[in-house]
Amino acid sequence: MSTYRDLAHRGSARATVLRTVGTRERRSHLTAPRVPTVGIDIGGTKVMAGVVDADGNILETLRTETPDKSKSPKVVEDTIVELVLDLSDRHDVHAVGIGAAGWVDADRNRVLFAPHLSWRNEPLRDRISGRLAVPVLVDNDANTAAWAEWRFGAARGEDHLVMITLGTGIGGAILEDGQVKRGKFGVAGEFGHMQVVPGGHRCPCGNRGCWEQYSSGNALVREARELAAADSPVAYGIIERVKGNIPDITGPLITELARDGDAMCVELLQDIGQWLGVGIANLAAALDPSCFVIGGGVSAADDLLIGPARDAFRRQLTGRGYRPEARIARAQLGPEAGMVGAADLARLVARRFRRANRRRVERHERYERYVEARRTNDRTSQGTQ
């Protein structure tokens, strides 16, 4: 599977190596080995895996549905391992990076809480690395997406970036001066669970009125299905498209119909975009970044979503007209950003793992030379007697 397979089975300095990764990312990525790594992006509805080279190019991608959330965490872990092993049949995999849709601790080992998955204090890194013969890195999926956009996408050259990923829910990340800001406990950037409507829609996190309940893929689909279930005249287009089977209404279908001019779908995306702009304005007041990058699957709607978001942002921005406005851009890497960023961050682990292995090999070679020298001396001594 990997050039590291034999070395990985001899013993493990992996845990020590992984703990050294954290605060030197900006400097480290410049000297990371130019080797292929696998990135995994785990969301509430899909698991995507891909082999990524050192320039951010995707060499191959696999995708599958996320196993039902009611099943044990091991089911998702089995899916991750199967995807990596499948890719490793055709590629030399040197490390695996996982972008998880949940709160990852500061050591980037445990998923503390995942609103859309059954992970609770789950030691994901250790469980996966225990089953694969390569080093593994785990981070929040929005952090990995922000890293990818800063390295290869819409945020190149930006020093202060806020990433917002719109998928099943809303993820977020902060990147300053080439470093992902994870906070003291590793869970910074969970913007989707800011309360924007007290007593509003119930969120899977347990609270009510979270931002992601008004500006996310789930919110988009919920509104469309409610209108269709009510047999609203404005929903006739989408009802006809799904032949009356309301559960078949999905985010991509809504986006497709909006592009075709369906008035209801256009309006729903405008509503989602306006809520997105309100949240961005609040984040601008708190963080004052130079750039907001909008990614995730819902961002595929492009100007149908981003346009209303920019308009709402300008209306809601504190001090509007008297302060510079942050740039709002769609992620260039699209839904693959989290996967690409996870793979690129894993390359930093591969560098340290290779260095640790090289030192072990050098020590072994020195020992072999020492043993051979002892044998030569013993033979010489016996010959002179």
Side-chain angles (χ1 to χ4, degrees), residues 126-147:
D126 288 349
R127 291 192 186 281
I128 298 299
S129 63
R131 300 174 62 180
L132 297 174
V134 292
V136 175
L137 176 141
V138 176
D139 207 337
N140 173 267
D141 58 348
N143 288 343
T144 63
W147 179 263

Side-chain angles (χ1 to χ4, degrees), residues 133-311:
V134 292
V136 175
L137 176 141
V138 176
D139 207 337
N140 173 267
D141 58 348
N143 288 343
T144 63
W147 179 263
E149 291 295 335
W150 178 72
R151 287 272 283 124
F152 309 112
R156 281 176 292 184
E158 297 285 353
D159 289 330
H160 294 81
L161 157 72
V162 170
M163 179 86 185
I164 297 170
T165 57
L166 303 178
T168 305
I170 293 181
I174 307 164
L175 195 146
E176 294 182 2
D177 297 323
Q179 292 186 11
V180 177
K181 299 300 182 181
R182 298 181 175 85
K184 174 65 175 179
F185 306 108
V187 297
E190 288 296 335
F191 309 132
H193 299 286
M194 300 185 302
Q195 188 183 66
V196 296
V197 180
H201 291 295
R202 176 71 72 181
C203 181
C205 77
N207 292 327
R208 287 186 178 275
C210 292
W211 186 24
E212 70 174 40
Q213 291 304 303
Y214 299 89
S215 185
S216 68
N218 270 356
L220 181 66
V221 172
R222 181 192 67 229
E223 295 297 315
R225 288 179 178 177
E226 286 181 359
L227 285 168
D231 203 26
S232 170
V234 301
Y236 283 171
I238 200 167
I239 291 173
E240 182 179 352
R241 180 64 178 271
V242 299
K243 297 180 172 59
N245 190 12
I246 294 175
D248 287 347
I249 296 176
T250 63
L253 175 60
I254 296 169
T255 299
E256 178 187 341
L257 291 175
R259 286 185 178 137
D260 292 340
D262 184 282
M264 183 199 77
C265 294
V266 170
E267 183 177 341
L268 290 178
L269 283 169
Q270 287 175 341
D271 290 344
I272 296 297
Q274 288 170 5
W275 276 110
L276 176 61
V278 170
I280 291 175
N282 290 337
L283 292 173
L287 301 174
D288 192 31
S290 61
C291 177
F292 288 93
V293 176
I294 313 301
V298 183
S299 68
D302 207 1
D303 280 344
L304 290 168
L305 175 82
I306 305 297
R310 290 193 180 109
D311 292 341

